Amino acid sequence: MKILSIESSCDETAAAVVVDGREVISSVIASQVEEHKLYGGVVPEIASRRHAESIVGVVNEALEKADTTLDDIDAIAVTHAPGLIGALLVGVNFAKGLSLATKKPLVPVHHLRSHIAANYISHKELKPPFLCLVVSGGHSHIVMVESYTKMRIIGRTRDDAAGEAFDKAARTMGIPYPGGIMLDKIAEKGDENAFKLPHPKVDDAPYDFSFSGLKTAVINIIHNMEQKGEEIPKADVCASFRKAVVDCLTKNFIKAAEDLGVKTLVTAGGVSANSLLRRELTKACEQNGYELYMPDLSLCGDNAAMVGSQGYYEYLSGNIAPLDLNAVATLPIDYRE
Ligand code: KG4
Ligand code: ZN
């Protein structure tokens, strides 16, 4: 089954052609990052306008690169939630137009589910059930993936998402948006024990995360040093902060796996590109005898190939949308089976 997939939930306009959920024939991404960088973060109004300008070209390019036409496509999958509403609406409306014109089924895809599905592309043998650490700019979850479409939330952040915390800490140090990637690179040269930072825990919720106190602690360190006119040892601050975030993510994830008796662990989302997180989880899984799957670096961030993968499994589960499908800014990952 050949799916044309579309993604526009944040600041990437993307389209792909994917066969049977696993084989990517083409994948095109138009990133707006350079423009949002000027403002230190994503400006929703600008994002929507750029999606509207780019979507026709991106979809055409995905079809051309796949050497295919709409006649050969079996279904159209689109990210409909969660995300920036104006941004999502561009992809959703475009997909609805295509579905109406071609009479092909329209498949709605949850953005976080698609991040998980990036692993089905990177690891052809991977099948549910498994435990997944979903860490993106907007979400941090530990999810039990019971089947391709049945998800159970085991833990979640009580405040900031991991990616958001990385971006805000980076911004305080003058590192341009999206700071998480750069902070990770700078941290490689720093001393992770240079600054003592809290490792916040949530009472009575051992799998939940809380990053806002940690973020405030690092921001206070930077501001105090600035007030005293001291030079910020950026690499050491980045390394100490990254270590604290990664410790919290790794600890809760491994504890959840132990308690649930799950032996297959998976990561998903933009933050799963973090080099320390990848190293620490690899180590922890080797020590515990767990199998670990992480998406290829090229599939950690937003793309449409992962939407085509999850779209295939949503289609098989009967998730086909009517033409009044709407975009939704907030939708839990377990909204349906
Ligand atoms: O999944 P994603 O591309 O978009 C959302 O769905 O939010 O995640 C983007 C987030 C940003 O906060 C970005 O800074 C973060 O992932 N990120 C990283 C790294 N690469 C991307 N954070 C830490 N280390 C990285 N290497
Ligand atoms: Zn994402």
Side-chain angles (χ1 to χ4, degrees), residues 29-41:
I29 304 173
S31 175
Q32 309 170 358
V33 116
E34 287 307 316
E35 191 165 1
H36 295 295
K37 213 177 240 178
L38 300 172
Y39 306 94

Side-chain angles (χ1 to χ4, degrees), residues 81-297:
L84 299 172
I85 196 71
L88 287 165
L89 276 167
V90 175
V92 166
N93 278 314
F94 194 82
K96 281 161 72 165
L98 283 181
S99 170
L100 180 66
T102 60
K103 300 188 175 58
K104 313 273 169 149
L106 177 67
V107 182
V109 177
H110 189 286
H111 183 62
L112 296 182
R113 290 185 177 206
S114 71
H115 270 300
I116 296 173
N119 287 282
Y120 304 139
I121 299 167
S122 294
H123 311 286
K124 304 287 183 247
E125 72 285 12
L126 178 66
K127 287 188 186 122
F130 54 76
L131 193 66
C132 189
L133 178 68
V134 185
V135 272
S136 70
H139 297 84
S140 298
H141 280 353
I142 296 174
V143 180
M144 186 62 215
V145 181
E146 315 263 12
S147 77
Y148 289 106
T149 52
K150 186 176 178 194
M151 321 257 161
R152 190 155 51 89
I153 299 175
I154 305 295
R156 51 156 55 93
T157 182
R158 295 298 182 97
D159 37 59
D160 291 352
E164 195 181 352
F166 273 123
D167 292 344
K168 285 185 183 161
R171 193 175 170 173
T172 314
M173 285 180 269
I175 300 168
Y177 174 84
I181 306 157
M182 189 70 93
L183 186 151
D184 186 20
K185 283 201 185 109
I186 298 172
E188 289 292 300
K189 297 186 194 85
D191 172 7
E192 63 186 25
N193 299 311
F195 293 93
K196 249 199 139 24
L197 288 166
H199 285 54
K201 285 193 201 116
V202 182
D203 286 343
D204 304 325
Y207 317 127
D208 281 5
F209 306 108
S210 168
F211 294 116
S212 88
L214 178 53
K215 178 196 69 190
T216 308
V218 81
I219 291 174
N220 285 342
I221 289 174
I222 298 162
H223 284 165
N224 279 337
M225 295 183 85
E226 277 172 351
Q227 275 163 7
K228 288 184 200 153
E230 293 171 11
E231 200 184 321
I232 315 285
K234 262 193 205 169
D236 290 348
V237 178
C238 289
S240 304
F241 181 72
R242 181 180 70 165
K243 176 79 169 86
V245 173
V246 168
D247 276 352
C248 294
L249 292 172
T250 308
K251 225 167 128 229
N252 292 13
F253 190 34
I254 297 292
K255 172 146 185 57
E258 273 168 14
D259 293 352
L260 294 169
V262 185
K263 296 221 173 297
T264 307
L265 272 59
V266 175
T267 68
V271 180
S272 59
N274 186 270
S275 41
L276 184 67
L277 181 66
R278 292 174 91 93
R279 289 198 293 271
E280 292 288 315
L281 281 178
T282 304
K283 222 190 312 167
C285 287
E286 270 168 19
Q287 280 164 3
N288 288 285
Y290 297 151
E291 261 184 306
L292 176 66
Y293 295 92
M294 298 182 283
D296 289 346
L297 287 179

